[in-house]
Amino acid sequence: MEFRDLKRQYQAHRQAIDDAMQEVIRGTHFIGGPQVGQLEERLAAFAGVKHCIACGNGTDALQLALMAWKIGEGDAVFVPDFTFFSSGEVVPLVGAVPVFVDVDPLTYNIDCNSLEKAVEFVAQRTAYQPKAIVAVDLFGQPAEYDRIRAIADRYDMLVLEDAAQSFGGLWKEKRTCSLGDISTTSFFPSKPLGCYGDGGAVFTDNDVWAERLRSLHVHGKGGDKYDNIRIGMNSRLDTLQAAVLLAKMDFLEEELTACARVADRYTARLKDAVQTPHILEDRYSAWAQYVVCLKDNEERNRTIACMKEAGIPSAVYYKKPMHLQTAFSGKQIEAVSCAVTEGICKKCLALPFHPYMEDAEIDAVCESVKKAVG
C-alpha cells in the first residue's frame, strides 16, 4: 500500500499528462513557455483573485510575499507552532523575527486566543512591530479567517494565507488562496494539486504587490531580465511543471470529491477509537492528509508498529513544535505557551490517504489502527 499513491493517479490520467508534457518538449520553451501564463490565469480564476504569480516552490512563495511587503528587521511575524518548517523559516530569511503561537486542539489551525495574547505581548512588551500573521490551512482545512482578520485589523497587520495544503478548499464559500492579503500555495507532488517536481504560486488582488512579486521572482527585474531594479530571487515555475498542473486541473474537482469520500469512510470507522479530524461547518477541506490523534506517544508507537507489520505505511506530521526547532534558537520571541502543540506532536499520526483508495484498503487501515488501540 502506498501512503500517497501518485502511480494510480498517473495511470488514470496518463494520456492527458503525457500529451501535455510532450507538447512542451516539442515546443522546447522549457522556461517561461506559454503554459506558465495559461496556468497563472487558470489558477487566479479558480481561486477568484486578480493575480497569480507562479514560482519555484511553496517556500519561495511565502518569502516572496514577505519581500513584497518589505517586512524585515524590527518586524514580528506570527506563525502557528504546529506546521511545516517553511511557514516560519521564511521569517528570519527576510530579517524579521518569528513569534510562534499555539493551535486549536481539534482543528490544529492557529488558536486565535493564543494569537491575540502573543500580539499584545509583542506590542506592549517588546520593541518589535507586529507586522503579519501567517495563517496556515493545516492538512487542508482553512483557518478561522474572520477572527484572524479582526486581530490583524486591530493592530494594522497583514494576513498571509499559507494554503500549501489547502488548494481547492473552501471557507464560507470562498476558495482558499483568496483569503489573505496575499495567499500562497505549494505544488509539491503530494499536495492536493501537485506537479512532478517543485512548484508554487502567490495570489493577490493588489496590483502594486502583484507587479512587485513579478519582479522579485525573476531577480528583481525591471523592464526585462537584464534591468534589475531591486534585489530578488530566481524562483520560476518551469514550463513542464506548468503543463502537468494544467492537465491535473481538469480532474482536480473529481479528486477533491473522492478525497472527501475517503475521509468520510475513515471517520465513520475510527471515530470511536481515536480522535479523528474535526472539520468546522463552514469549511470544506482539501484533505491534504488524514491525521488522527492517539492517546499518547506509547499508543502512537504501538499503532505505527502494528500498521507496519500489516504492510501499511504511516507518517508523523509533525514530530517537533516550531518553537523547539534548533534553527530558531535565539531567533524568536517567546510570547505564549504552546502546550497544545507540544501534546499533539507526541500523539498525531497521518494515515495513508489519496483519492484513489479503495474501500477494502481503507477498511484494512482502520482494522490495523483499532487492533493497536484495543
Side-chain angles (χ1 to χ4, degrees):
M1 187 184 296
E2 297 282 343
F3 184 77
R4 185 87 178 182
D5 201 334
L6 297 176
K7 295 176 185 176
R8 284 193 215 178
Q9 182 195 60
Y10 174 64
Q11 291 300 327
H13 303 280
R14 181 173 183 170
Q15 193 63 57
I17 294 170
D18 284 356
D19 288 349
M21 296 180 74
Q22 283 297 324
E23 185 178 350
V24 176
I25 294 168
R26 285 193 298 268
T28 68
H29 295 295
F30 299 112
I31 300 294
Q35 289 87 345
V36 177
Q38 293 166 15
L39 177 68
E40 290 177 334
E41 290 181 5
R42 191 164 178 184
L43 291 171
F46 182 85
V49 298
K50 289 176 65 176
H51 305 285
C52 172
I53 298 90
C55 62
N57 54 71
T59 306
D60 282 359
L62 290 167
Q63 184 174 344
L64 284 163
L66 297 180
M67 292 170 71
W69 286 336
K70 301 181 180 180
I71 287 176
E73 187 175 351
D75 295 331
V77 178
F78 300 82
V79 183
D81 200 39
F82 189 59
T83 185
F84 183 62
F85 185 68
S86 63
S87 301
E89 177 184 25
V90 295
V91 179
L93 279 175
V94 299
V97 62
V99 185
F100 297 112
V101 302
D102 215 352
V103 298
D104 183 275
L106 295 178
T107 66
Y108 312 132
N109 279 328
I110 196 165
D111 182 325
C112 291
N113 292 326
S114 179
L115 171 63
E116 189 154 22
K117 290 177 183 177
V119 175
E120 289 175 356
F121 179 94
V122 172
Q124 297 173 8
R125 300 178 62 180
T126 78
Y128 288 91
Q129 179 68 36
K131 269 299 179 70
I133 301 164
V134 179
V136 179
D137 302 333
L138 202 68
F139 304 144
Q141 177 173 202
E144 294 190 57
Y145 284 95
D146 44 5
R147 293 193 63 194
I148 291 169
R149 177 64 63 186
I151 295 169
D153 289 348
R154 194 175 309 132
Y155 288 90
D156 195 25
M157 291 190 294
L158 295 159
V159 176
L160 173 54
E161 179 192 10
D162 181 349
Q165 299 179 7
S166 69
F167 188 82
L170 290 167
W171 177 82
K172 297 184 177 181
E173 306 305 318
K174 291 188 67 177
R175 287 284 187 190
T176 56
C177 293
S178 71
L179 305 175
D181 296 302
I182 292 180
S183 301
T184 66
T185 197
S186 167
F187 301 126
F188 187 79
S190 62
K191 294 296 192 287
L193 179 63
C195 56
Y196 286 167
D198 273 319
V202 190
F203 301 78
T204 187
D205 284 322
N206 186 291
D207 296 338
V208 173
W209 295 340
E211 183 179 0
R212 198 176 297 161
L213 286 161
R214 291 197 180 280
S215 167
L216 286 166
H217 88 121
V218 187
H219 301 290
K221 70 174 183 177
D224 59 59
K225 65 179 181 179
Y226 298 113
D227 172 32
N228 307 100
I229 60 175
R230 54 174 60 88
I231 299 298
M233 63 168 69
N234 178 23
S235 184
R236 299 168 296 194
L237 181 72
D238 71 68
T239 313
L240 275 169
Q241 303 303 342
V244 170
L245 290 167
L246 279 169
K248 287 191 174 188
M249 283 288 288
D250 289 339
F251 53 86
L252 173 64
E253 296 276 19
E254 174 188 324
E255 289 195 337
L256 290 169
T257 300
C259 281
R261 179 196 65 80
V262 174
D264 286 346
R265 191 173 184 92
Y266 262 138
T267 299
R269 283 154 177 73
L270 290 175
K271 62 183 179 180
D272 295 326
V274 296
Q275 179 181 312
T276 53
H278 179 74
I279 308 300
L280 299 176
E281 289 185 2
D282 55 0
R283 311 289 197 277
Y284 179 79
S285 178
W287 290 109
Q289 286 93 24
Y290 189 91
V291 177
V292 299
C293 265
L294 289 305
K295 184 173 62 177
D296 50 33
N297 188 53
E298 181 182 346
E299 186 173 79
R300 180 173 68 182
N301 290 338
R302 188 167 65 247
T303 303
I304 292 171
C306 188
M307 292 174 65
K308 185 176 181 180
E309 186 178 348
I312 300 172
S314 62
V316 176
Y317 301 105
Y318 297 97
K319 294 182 179 180
K320 184 185 288 189
M322 294 284 274
H323 77 276
L324 295 180
Q325 293 286 358
T326 304
F328 293 121
S329 179
K331 298 183 180 70
Q332 61 175 298
I333 296 173
E334 297 182 14
V336 291
S337 166
C338 293
V340 172
T341 297
E342 291 176 7
I344 293 171
C345 286
K346 295 174 183 177
K347 56 187 181 181
C348 61
L349 184 66
L351 307 181
F353 190 87
H354 57 84
Y356 301 91
M357 284 192 80
E358 298 175 358
D359 289 350
E361 293 175 307
I362 301 168
D363 294 345
V365 176
C366 294
E367 289 307 310
S368 183
V369 171
K370 288 194 282 190
K371 177 182 176 181
V373 302

